[in-house]
Amino acid sequence: MEEQKSILILAIESSCDETAAAVVKNGREVLSNVISSQIALHTLYGGVVPEIASRKHIEKINQVIETALSEAGAELADIDAIGVTYGPGLVGALLVGVAEAKAIAYAAKKPLIGVHHIEGHIAANYIEHPELEPPFLSLVVSGGHTHLVRVEDYGKFDIIGRTRDDAAGEAFDKVARAIGLGYPGGPKIDQVSKEGNPEAIVFPRAHVEDAPYDFSFSGVKSAVLNYINGSRMKGESYSQADVAASFQKAVTDVLVANAMRAVEEYKVDKIAIAGGVASNSALREAMKSACEERGVKLYYPSPVYCTDNAAMIGVAAYYEYLAGTRHGWDLNAVPNLKLGERYE
Ligand code: KG4
Ligand code: ZN
């Protein structure tokens, strides 16, 4: 029997502060995954500066793509399609990737596939779990998004819950800044919390009335700010580690509670967490025990595939490729692109 030809996707991701390119084979095998992070640069300003992000993407993108191809041992001629994140994200940052992908696809006569960034985050779970296939439930927790999603099929999503205000990662970043940990806050809070007592301070766990799967993190963020301002006014010091650990516990408690409510209501037996906050050690531990109790299989990507990367975009692009998704040369960056929305 003739061996089936492999499908190679060259994927590009530039929606925020990482310039990334990857080559992915048959949607599951990462041949290269190159990430040029701008974190050190943005740390100077305490957060991502969109204008600087765009300029850095322009400087780095060609080199990052060349490295991704050479590390994969591939040439452009071997590539079957170009996948690129076209939303959501910072418009100027997205545009760099989209323009680059269009130029390469046009010059090399390859199909162009625009990918939704969150679809990419969810697809990151396919890389290390060959047995994982839809349907399953996904908790997407990143710097810009907090969603509970029913993944009905590849590329087919039903959002059942979302944040009403801050995203989980955004709350981590803001609290980290307030307690003097700097940017990016998530990994620092994760680290410092290991030295703190998560029960030291009781911060609020918000539940949204009549929307059991929605989230709200602005209350817990304000409670932390009030707590540290109160301490300062009284001239008292507070324990950075206890505040971090107690805040982290308040956020992860709500994430796990809503996810488990959905697991029970929708009777799912698989849940995959995704996005930068999915690398949080307390969230992983809490999800592990909650899932074990209920006999539910938990999936999560390695940390490098949780935060922004192009391999996850390559995986999502592969399934879009199989489904026949092709974009034209008018593909544009869509900063507020909705999950499941098709841009024609
Ligand atoms: O998915 P991502 O790289 O970018 C977006 O699509 O937004 O997520 C970045 C977010 C940041 O808010 C960062 O602080 C958070 O993920 N993050 C973490 C951890 N690692 C990254 N939050 C908590 N614990 C971590 N270990
Ligand atoms: Zn992301």
Side-chain angles (χ1 to χ4, degrees):
M1 209 171 76
E2 199 183 324
E3 204 183 314
Q4 282 232 316
K5 187 191 169 299
S6 299
I7 302 291
L8 288 190
I9 306 276
L10 169 65
I12 300 170
E13 153 66 41
S14 70
S15 66
C16 190
D17 58 348
E18 328 277 357
T19 318
V23 177
V24 176
K25 181 175 161 183
N26 294 334
R28 297 273 178 163
E29 195 185 331
V30 177
L31 302 187
S32 64
N33 184 36
V34 180
I35 305 170
S36 168
S37 175
Q38 306 177 0
I39 285 179
L41 196 64
H42 297 290
T43 299
L44 292 171
Y45 305 96
V48 177
V49 184
E51 184 59 33
I52 294 177
S54 315
R55 250 185 279 151
K56 272 287 147 191
H57 285 311
I58 293 173
E59 273 174 38
K60 298 280 180 191
I61 199 155
N62 285 319
Q63 185 59 51
V64 166
I65 292 170
E66 276 171 29
T67 310
L69 283 169
S70 72
E71 283 184 7
E75 303 203 357
L76 208 43
D78 308 324
I79 299 294
D80 294 281
I82 314 292
V84 63
T85 307
Y86 72 108
L90 301 170
V91 66
L94 289 163
L95 269 172
V96 177
V98 169
E100 180 83 10
K102 285 201 281 192
I104 295 175
Y106 184 77
K109 300 190 172 57
K110 305 289 179 186
L112 174 69
I113 301 168
V115 174
H116 191 289
H117 184 73
I118 298 301
E119 183 173 346
H121 273 302
I122 295 171
N125 278 285
Y126 298 134
I127 298 169
E128 295 152 300
H129 306 294
E131 76 283 12
L132 177 63
E133 285 182 20
F136 57 89
L137 186 73
S138 185
L139 172 67
V140 184
V141 273
S142 74
H145 305 271
T146 306
H147 283 351
L148 257 175
V149 184
R150 291 169 69 202
V151 182
E152 294 166 345
D153 201 346
Y154 294 106
K156 195 155 180 281
F157 309 97
D158 175 25
I159 301 174
I160 60 170
R162 50 164 56 79
T163 182
R164 296 294 181 100
D165 39 59
D166 291 352
E170 192 179 353
F172 270 90
D173 294 337
K174 287 178 178 168
V175 164
R177 196 180 313 160
I179 62 174
L181 288 173
Y183 173 87
K188 292 191 174 160
I189 290 199
D190 193 348
Q191 204 53 40
V192 168
S193 294
K194 294 186 183 6
E195 318 291 322
N197 173 9
E199 315 291 342
I201 311 148
V202 181
F203 290 126
R205 274 85 168 145
H207 291 287
V208 181
E209 206 58 44
D210 300 329
Y213 309 119
D214 278 2
F215 304 93
S216 166
F217 296 113
S218 65
V220 60
K221 179 194 66 190
S222 303
V224 173
L225 297 181
N226 287 340
Y227 180 86
I228 58 177
N229 286 337
S231 303
R232 279 194 195 122
M233 276 177 4
K234 283 184 265 172
E236 292 169 1
S237 62
Y238 63 87
S239 156
Q240 193 187 45
D242 283 351
V243 172
S246 302
F247 159 77
Q248 179 173 271
K249 180 85 168 68
V251 171
T252 53
D253 274 359
V254 173
L255 292 172
V256 175
N258 287 14
M260 291 305 121
R261 199 171 296 133
V263 157
E264 283 158 18
E265 177 68 26
Y266 291 97
K267 302 195 176 19
V268 296
D269 57 0
K270 292 179 271 185
I271 178 162
I273 54 176
V277 185
S279 57
N280 182 267
S281 54
L283 177 63
R284 287 176 181 235
E285 285 311 313
M287 285 293 290
K288 262 188 221 166
S289 47
C291 287
E292 257 165 40
E293 264 172 41
R294 292 166 179 81
V296 171
K297 182 96 176 79
L298 173 70
Y299 296 89
Y300 47 81
S302 293
V304 67
Y305 297 129
C306 284
T307 44
D308 289 348
N309 65 88
M312 67 184 196
I313 302 303
V315 176
Y318 170 77
Y319 288 103
E320 291 290 348
Y321 177 87
L322 293 187
T325 304
R326 303 289 184 271
H327 284 99
W329 306 129
D330 60 345
L331 179 70
N332 207 348
V334 184
N336 56 357
L337 184 67
K338 303 283 174 292
L339 189 61
E341 193 175 69
R342 287 283 178 267
Y343 169 92
E344 304 300 343

